[in-house]
Amino acid sequence: MRIDILTLFPEMFPGVLSSSILGKAQEKGIVQFEVTNFRDYSESKHGTVDDTPYGGGGGMVLKPEPLFRAVEAVTTDSKPRVILLCPQGVPYNQKLAEELAKEEHLILICGHYEGYDERIRENLVTDEISIGDYVLTGGELGAMVIADSVVRLQPGALGNQTSAVEDSFSTGLLEYPHYTRPAEFRGWKVPDILLSGHHANIDKWRLRESLRRTYERRPDLLDKLELTPEMKKWLQEIKEEKKMADKP
Protein backbone atom coordinates (compact mmCIF):
# COMPACT_ATOMS: atom_id res chain seq x y z
CA MET A 1 0.00 0.00 0.00
CA ARG A 2 1.08 3.56 -0.70
CA ILE A 3 -0.23 6.51 1.31
CA ASP A 4 0.44 10.05 0.10
CA ILE A 5 -0.24 12.91 2.51
CA LEU A 6 -0.65 16.43 1.11
CA THR A 7 -0.12 19.07 3.76
CA LEU A 8 1.21 22.55 4.43
CA PHE A 9 3.01 21.26 7.53
CA PRO A 10 5.07 18.19 6.56
CA GLU A 11 7.21 18.60 9.68
CA MET A 12 4.30 17.23 11.75
CA PHE A 13 4.59 13.70 10.30
CA PRO A 14 8.08 12.17 10.61
CA GLY A 15 7.75 11.22 14.28
CA VAL A 16 4.36 9.57 13.83
CA LEU A 17 5.10 7.75 10.59
CA SER A 18 8.47 6.40 11.75
CA SER A 19 7.31 5.12 15.14
CA SER A 20 5.67 1.95 16.45
CA ILE A 21 3.54 -0.10 14.03
CA LEU A 22 3.74 2.50 11.25
CA GLY A 23 7.52 2.57 11.36
CA LYS A 24 7.81 -1.21 11.42
CA ALA A 25 5.33 -1.56 8.55
CA GLN A 26 7.52 0.72 6.43
CA GLU A 27 10.64 -1.26 7.34
CA LYS A 28 8.91 -4.47 6.24
CA GLY A 29 7.82 -2.91 2.95
CA ILE A 30 4.13 -3.25 3.83
CA VAL A 31 3.41 0.44 3.33
CA GLN A 32 5.11 3.38 1.66
CA PHE A 33 4.46 6.87 3.02
CA GLU A 34 5.11 10.04 1.05
CA VAL A 35 4.49 13.47 2.59
CA THR A 36 4.19 16.38 0.17
CA ASN A 37 3.95 20.10 0.86
CA PHE A 38 1.34 21.18 -1.65
CA ARG A 39 2.63 24.74 -1.37
CA ASP A 40 5.36 23.50 -3.70
CA TYR A 41 2.69 23.23 -6.40
CA SER A 42 1.48 26.81 -6.13
CA GLU A 43 1.56 28.81 -9.35
CA SER A 44 2.50 31.92 -7.39
CA LYS A 45 6.14 32.92 -6.92
CA HIS A 46 5.29 33.52 -3.26
CA GLY A 47 3.83 30.04 -2.81
CA THR A 48 0.28 31.29 -2.26
CA VAL A 49 -2.24 28.48 -1.69
CA ASP A 50 -5.25 30.44 -0.41
CA ASP A 51 -7.31 33.51 -1.27
CA THR A 52 -10.30 35.49 -0.04
CA PRO A 53 -13.73 33.96 -0.74
CA TYR A 54 -15.89 35.26 -3.57
CA GLY A 55 -18.97 36.96 -2.15
CA GLY A 56 -17.12 38.15 0.93
CA GLY A 57 -16.91 36.69 4.40
CA GLY A 58 -14.23 35.90 6.92
CA GLY A 59 -11.30 33.56 6.53
CA MET A 60 -9.32 32.32 3.57
CA VAL A 61 -10.14 29.53 1.14
CA LEU A 62 -7.70 26.97 -0.30
CA LYS A 63 -7.21 27.50 -4.02
CA PRO A 64 -7.83 24.63 -6.46
CA GLU A 65 -4.65 24.89 -8.55
CA PRO A 66 -2.05 23.71 -5.98
CA LEU A 67 -4.10 20.74 -4.83
CA PHE A 68 -5.04 19.57 -8.32
CA ARG A 69 -1.40 19.77 -9.39
CA ALA A 70 -0.17 18.00 -6.25
CA VAL A 71 -2.66 15.15 -6.58
CA GLU A 72 -1.80 14.72 -10.26
CA ALA A 73 1.92 14.66 -9.41
CA VAL A 74 1.64 11.87 -6.83
CA THR A 75 -0.92 9.76 -8.68
CA THR A 76 0.66 6.51 -9.87
CA ASP A 77 -0.64 3.93 -12.34
CA SER A 78 -3.28 2.75 -9.84
CA LYS A 79 -6.43 4.78 -9.34
CA PRO A 80 -6.15 6.25 -5.84
CA ARG A 81 -8.81 7.07 -3.28
CA VAL A 82 -8.40 10.81 -2.78
CA ILE A 83 -9.61 11.71 0.69
CA LEU A 84 -10.42 15.19 1.92
CA LEU A 85 -10.16 15.60 5.69
CA CYS A 86 -12.94 17.97 6.71
CA PRO A 87 -15.69 18.44 9.33
CA GLN A 88 -18.36 18.00 6.64
CA GLY A 89 -17.20 14.49 5.73
CA VAL A 90 -18.75 11.16 6.65
CA PRO A 91 -17.91 10.03 10.21
CA TYR A 92 -14.88 7.76 10.30
CA ASN A 93 -15.36 4.30 11.78
CA GLN A 94 -13.84 0.83 11.76
CA LYS A 95 -15.93 -0.33 8.81
CA LEU A 96 -14.56 2.51 6.68
CA ALA A 97 -11.02 1.78 7.91
CA GLU A 98 -11.41 -1.83 6.77
CA GLU A 99 -12.68 -0.65 3.39
CA LEU A 100 -9.76 1.74 2.88
CA ALA A 101 -7.29 -0.93 3.99
CA LYS A 102 -8.09 -2.86 0.80
CA GLU A 103 -6.93 -0.01 -1.44
CA GLU A 104 -3.50 0.09 -3.10
CA HIS A 105 -3.13 3.87 -2.96
CA LEU A 106 -4.60 6.52 -0.68
CA ILE A 107 -4.08 10.27 -0.99
CA LEU A 108 -4.97 12.22 2.15
CA ILE A 109 -5.49 15.97 1.78
CA CYS A 110 -5.03 18.05 4.94
CA GLY A 111 -6.86 21.34 4.74
CA HIS A 112 -6.39 24.60 6.63
CA TYR A 113 -7.98 28.03 6.79
CA GLU A 114 -11.72 28.52 6.26
CA GLY A 115 -12.20 25.68 3.81
CA TYR A 116 -11.68 24.37 0.29
CA ASP A 117 -12.68 25.80 -3.06
CA GLU A 118 -15.80 23.79 -3.91
CA ARG A 119 -14.29 22.63 -7.21
CA ILE A 120 -11.84 20.52 -5.17
CA ARG A 121 -14.75 18.69 -3.57
CA GLU A 122 -16.67 18.27 -6.80
CA ASN A 123 -13.91 17.31 -9.22
CA LEU A 124 -10.81 16.05 -7.37
CA VAL A 125 -11.66 13.96 -4.33
CA THR A 126 -13.40 10.60 -4.05
CA ASP A 127 -14.18 10.79 -0.31
CA GLU A 128 -14.70 13.37 2.42
CA ILE A 129 -14.03 12.08 5.93
CA SER A 130 -14.42 13.57 9.40
CA ILE A 131 -12.84 11.93 12.45
CA GLY A 132 -15.36 13.50 14.81
CA ASP A 133 -17.88 16.23 15.48
CA TYR A 134 -15.38 18.90 16.40
CA VAL A 135 -13.12 21.28 14.51
CA LEU A 136 -9.33 21.05 14.44
CA THR A 137 -6.77 23.56 13.21
CA GLY A 138 -6.10 21.41 10.17
CA GLY A 139 -6.44 17.94 8.70
CA GLU A 140 -3.04 16.63 9.76
CA LEU A 141 -4.21 14.84 12.90
CA GLY A 142 -7.07 13.28 10.96
CA ALA A 143 -4.63 12.01 8.33
CA MET A 144 -2.51 10.44 11.08
CA VAL A 145 -5.58 8.71 12.51
CA ILE A 146 -6.57 7.27 9.13
CA ALA A 147 -3.01 6.17 8.32
CA ASP A 148 -2.64 4.39 11.66
CA SER A 149 -6.02 2.66 11.56
CA VAL A 150 -5.54 1.50 7.96
CA VAL A 151 -1.93 0.32 8.17
CA ARG A 152 -2.48 -1.84 11.26
CA LEU A 153 -5.01 -3.83 9.22
CA GLN A 154 -2.45 -4.75 6.57
CA PRO A 155 -1.31 -8.39 6.68
CA GLY A 156 1.93 -8.64 8.61
CA ALA A 157 1.70 -5.19 10.21
CA LEU A 158 0.83 -6.54 13.65
CA GLY A 159 2.80 -9.23 15.44
CA ASN A 160 -0.43 -11.13 16.08
CA GLN A 161 -2.89 -10.60 13.23
CA THR A 162 -5.81 -11.83 15.36
CA SER A 163 -5.38 -8.66 17.43
CA ALA A 164 -6.91 -6.57 14.65
CA VAL A 165 -9.81 -8.99 14.22
CA GLU A 166 -10.67 -8.91 17.93
CA ASP A 167 -10.31 -5.15 18.41
CA SER A 168 -13.20 -3.04 19.64
CA PHE A 169 -15.61 -2.20 16.77
CA SER A 170 -14.18 -4.90 14.46
CA THR A 171 -16.82 -7.38 15.61
CA GLY A 172 -19.43 -4.72 16.31
CA LEU A 173 -18.85 -5.08 20.06
CA LEU A 174 -16.40 -3.39 22.39
CA GLU A 175 -13.47 -5.58 23.31
CA TYR A 176 -13.54 -7.77 26.41
CA PRO A 177 -11.32 -7.06 29.49
CA HIS A 178 -7.68 -8.15 29.37
CA TYR A 179 -5.46 -9.40 32.21
CA THR A 180 -1.81 -10.43 32.49
CA ARG A 181 0.62 -11.53 35.22
CA PRO A 182 0.59 -11.41 38.20
CA ALA A 183 -2.57 -13.43 38.85
CA GLU A 184 -3.14 -11.35 42.00
CA PHE A 185 -2.15 -7.71 42.47
CA ARG A 186 -2.91 -5.78 45.66
CA GLY A 187 -5.73 -8.17 46.41
CA TRP A 188 -7.30 -7.89 42.95
CA LYS A 189 -7.44 -11.29 41.24
CA VAL A 190 -7.64 -12.34 37.63
CA PRO A 191 -10.98 -14.11 36.91
CA ASP A 192 -10.62 -17.83 37.54
CA ILE A 193 -11.96 -18.72 34.10
CA LEU A 194 -8.91 -17.16 32.45
CA LEU A 195 -6.62 -19.41 34.49
CA SER A 196 -8.59 -22.58 33.75
CA GLY A 197 -7.01 -23.45 30.39
CA HIS A 198 -10.49 -24.31 29.04
CA HIS A 199 -10.42 -22.36 25.81
CA ALA A 200 -14.05 -22.90 24.81
CA ASN A 201 -15.25 -21.54 28.16
CA ILE A 202 -12.78 -18.67 27.95
CA ASP A 203 -14.12 -17.74 24.49
CA LYS A 204 -17.68 -17.72 25.87
CA TRP A 205 -16.63 -15.58 28.85
CA ARG A 206 -14.90 -13.10 26.56
CA LEU A 207 -17.91 -12.81 24.26
CA ARG A 208 -20.24 -12.32 27.23
CA GLU A 209 -17.96 -9.66 28.70
CA SER A 210 -17.76 -7.90 25.32
CA LEU A 211 -21.54 -7.87 25.31
CA ARG A 212 -21.61 -6.51 28.87
CA ARG A 213 -19.08 -3.78 28.15
CA THR A 214 -20.92 -2.73 24.99
CA TYR A 215 -24.26 -2.60 26.81
CA GLU A 216 -22.78 -0.51 29.64
CA ARG A 217 -20.71 1.89 27.53
CA ARG A 218 -22.08 1.94 23.96
CA PRO A 219 -25.60 0.47 23.94
CA ASP A 220 -26.23 2.18 20.60
CA LEU A 221 -23.93 -0.36 18.94
CA LEU A 222 -26.24 -3.22 19.92
CA ASP A 223 -29.00 -1.80 17.71
CA LYS A 224 -26.85 -2.55 14.66
CA LEU A 225 -26.10 -6.19 15.56
CA GLU A 226 -27.94 -9.41 14.93
CA LEU A 227 -27.55 -11.28 18.22
CA THR A 228 -27.61 -15.06 18.49
CA PRO A 229 -30.17 -16.64 20.86
CA GLU A 230 -27.37 -17.26 23.36
CA MET A 231 -26.24 -13.64 23.20
CA LYS A 232 -29.82 -12.45 23.69
CA LYS A 233 -30.04 -14.64 26.80
CA TRP A 234 -26.76 -13.24 28.12
CA LEU A 235 -27.88 -9.68 27.41
CA GLN A 236 -31.07 -10.20 29.40
CA GLU A 237 -29.02 -11.61 32.28
CA ILE A 238 -26.65 -8.64 32.09
CA LYS A 239 -29.56 -6.21 32.24
CA GLU A 240 -30.98 -8.00 35.29
CA GLU A 241 -27.57 -7.98 36.98
CA LYS A 242 -27.27 -4.23 36.37
CA LYS A 243 -30.73 -3.61 37.82
CA MET A 244 -29.78 -5.50 40.95
CA ALA A 245 -26.47 -3.64 41.23
CA ASP A 246 -28.23 -0.26 40.86
CA LYS A 247 -30.71 -0.94 43.63
CA PRO A 248 -30.04 1.14 46.77
Side-chain angles (χ1 to χ4, degrees):
M1 167 176 267
R2 170 173 168 153
I3 299 178
D4 278 279
I5 300 171
L6 307 185
T7 174
L8 294 174
F9 299 94
E11 66 274 11
M12 293 179 65
F13 289 90
V16 172
L17 301 183
S18 63
S19 301
S20 187
I21 298 299
L22 298 186
K24 291 177 181 177
Q26 286 188 91
E27 292 173 4
K28 294 177 182 178
I30 294 170
V31 64
Q32 175 188 355
F33 289 115
E34 297 292 341
V35 180
T36 299
N37 189 337
F38 62 84
R39 191 180 298 278
D40 295 339
Y41 291 88
S42 170
E43 296 176 326
S44 162
K45 65 179 181 180
H46 301 295
T48 302
V49 295
D50 62 312
D51 209 333
T52 54
Y54 280 121
M60 303 290 281
V61 177
L62 284 172
K63 294 163 61 66
E65 309 99 299
L67 282 171
F68 271 81
R69 294 174 69 187
V71 168
E72 289 162 359
V74 302
T75 296
T76 59
D77 293 338
S78 62
K79 188 175 181 180
R81 291 279 285 270
V82 183
I83 298 169
L84 202 64
L85 281 303
C86 70
Q88 301 175 30
V90 298
Y92 194 56
N93 56 29
Q94 187 65 22
K95 182 179 179 181
L96 185 49
E98 292 168 359
E99 178 186 325
L100 295 179
K102 298 174 184 177
E103 298 288 338
E104 294 182 10
H105 189 190
L106 300 179
I107 299 176
L108 308 178
I109 300 177
C110 308
H112 271 267
Y113 312 118
E114 184 66 23
Y116 304 90
D117 184 290
E118 191 66 16
R119 289 165 290 188
I120 295 169
R121 299 180 189 276
E122 294 177 344
N123 303 291
L124 182 63
V125 305
T126 59
D127 304 81
E128 295 183 46
I129 292 177
S130 167
I131 62 166
D133 293 339
Y134 45 85
V135 180
L136 299 171
T137 304
E140 283 73 18
L141 295 177
M144 294 175 193
V145 167
I146 292 176
D148 186 284
S149 61
V150 165
V151 170
R152 68 189 307 280
L153 294 173
Q154 299 301 308
L158 299 179
N160 182 354
Q161 199 57 35
T162 60
S163 297
V165 177
E166 296 176 352
D167 280 340
S168 292
F169 305 111
S170 292
T171 63
L173 297 171
L174 299 186
E175 197 171 9
Y176 51 80
H178 290 279
Y179 296 88
T180 188
R181 295 178 178 85
E184 182 175 347
F185 173 68
R186 296 186 178 180
W188 302 308
K189 296 181 179 180
V190 172
D192 291 338
I193 184 66
L194 298 179
L195 307 177
S196 68
H198 196 302
H199 294 294
N201 287 347
I202 289 172
D203 287 343
K204 284 187 177 182
W205 179 87
R206 285 175 167 169
L207 180 55
R208 194 178 193 277
E209 291 305 305
S210 285
L211 194 61
R212 180 193 304 278
R213 182 155 288 185
T214 305
Y215 171 69
E216 292 176 347
R217 303 185 182 188
R218 289 292 305 277
D220 58 295
L221 296 176
L222 296 176
D223 296 334
K224 306 172 185 176
L225 290 178
E226 185 174 341
L227 303 180
T228 65
E230 187 173 37
M231 292 171 72
K232 290 178 181 178
K233 177 176 174 289
W234 288 342
L235 183 57
Q236 187 57 43
E237 292 172 353
I238 290 166
K239 290 179 179 179
E240 292 298 325
E241 290 167 8
K242 189 172 189 308
K243 282 183 184 178
M244 295 297 295
D246 290 343
K247 283 185 178 180

